[in-house]
Amino acid sequence: MKKILIPIEFKNNSDKVIEYAVHLHQNEACAFYLLNTYSLNISGLQALNFLKASKDWFEKPKQKSEKGLVILVDKYSAIYKEHKHQFYALSECESLIRGIQKTIENLKIDLIIMATKAKKEKCFDKYATNTERIIENIRKCPLIIMPENQTIE
């Protein structure tokens, strides 16, 4: 079974990239791992909040990540229940790059598929910052980058 990692940012094209990944692999058994990373902002004045933080302060980002991933996993598990596809949620309090690296190592990921948009409109030689960081730092796994305007045919 092919293991595919899909980094998820809830504000961007999560549904589009999942549907694109499933469409590319519609005829093969795949496990799709939806990864959302989050961090606790403890720099600058936020560090004062960190010193006074309650359990809720630490739990809110985790709960938001887990809740969003559960919604996506439930949705796509129901849509593709007749296919040879499985969907899993991975929520990590980690930097995006380190979260991807750990997931590749721990789960023996075969492929990463992610959505991106250009930094500037009509400028497709520059990717968004996270995409550039992934391209520069992830070398142990092939990467497919889906442009934001990609359609499934």
Side-chain angles (χ1 to χ4, degrees):
M1 176 174 287
K2 185 175 259 187
K3 296 179 180 179
I4 299 171
L5 178 62
I6 303 174
I8 298 294
E9 287 185 77
F10 299 114
K11 61 185 174 190
N12 290 335
N13 301 319
S14 298
D15 287 315
K16 279 179 123 180
V17 72
I18 295 168
E19 290 168 12
Y20 180 77
V22 169
H23 180 74
L24 284 178
H25 298 88
Q26 62 189 347
N27 295 321
E28 57 185 309
C30 293
F32 295 96
Y33 293 91
L34 310 181
L35 171 67
N36 177 256
T37 60
Y38 60 93
S39 60
L40 304 172
N41 186 1
I42 56 172
S43 62
L45 293 177
Q46 290 293 331
L48 294 175
N49 290 335
F50 177 73
L51 295 173
K52 299 186 278 182
S54 67
K55 185 179 176 184
D56 288 344
W57 189 81
F58 293 99
E59 289 296 316
K60 280 183 182 179
K62 178 181 179 181
Q63 290 171 353
K64 180 180 177 184
S65 175
E66 289 174 350
K67 182 179 178 183
L69 288 170
V70 165
I71 290 168
L72 289 173
V73 167
D74 288 350
K75 174 181 177 178
Y76 287 100
S77 294
I79 291 171
Y80 296 105
K81 65 182 174 188
E82 302 298 322
H83 291 72
K84 298 177 261 182
H85 298 139
Q86 298 169 353
F87 297 86
Y88 301 96
L90 302 171
S91 178
E92 294 283 337
C93 182
E94 191 71 73
S95 72
L96 176 62
I97 299 302
R98 187 64 192 130
I100 291 172
Q101 289 170 333
K102 283 173 45 178
T103 304
I104 290 169
E105 292 169 19
N106 294 340
L107 297 176
K108 308 292 185 236
I109 296 294
D110 298 304
L111 177 67
I112 302 168
I113 300 177
M114 61 180 291
T116 194
K117 59 183 177 181
K119 272 188 179 174
K120 298 176 186 170
E121 214 171 294
K122 299 181 183 176
C123 175
F124 294 103
D125 61 339
K126 294 283 187 183
Y127 291 114
T129 304
N130 280 341
T131 305
E132 287 181 352
R133 289 179 42 234
I134 291 169
I135 292 168
E136 291 168 3
N137 292 287
I138 304 300
R139 301 288 182 186
K140 293 185 177 182
C141 189
L143 170 66
I144 294 176
I145 300 171
M146 182 195 95
E148 68 178 336
N149 58 356
Q150 178 68 41
T151 58
I152 300 171
E153 296 178 21

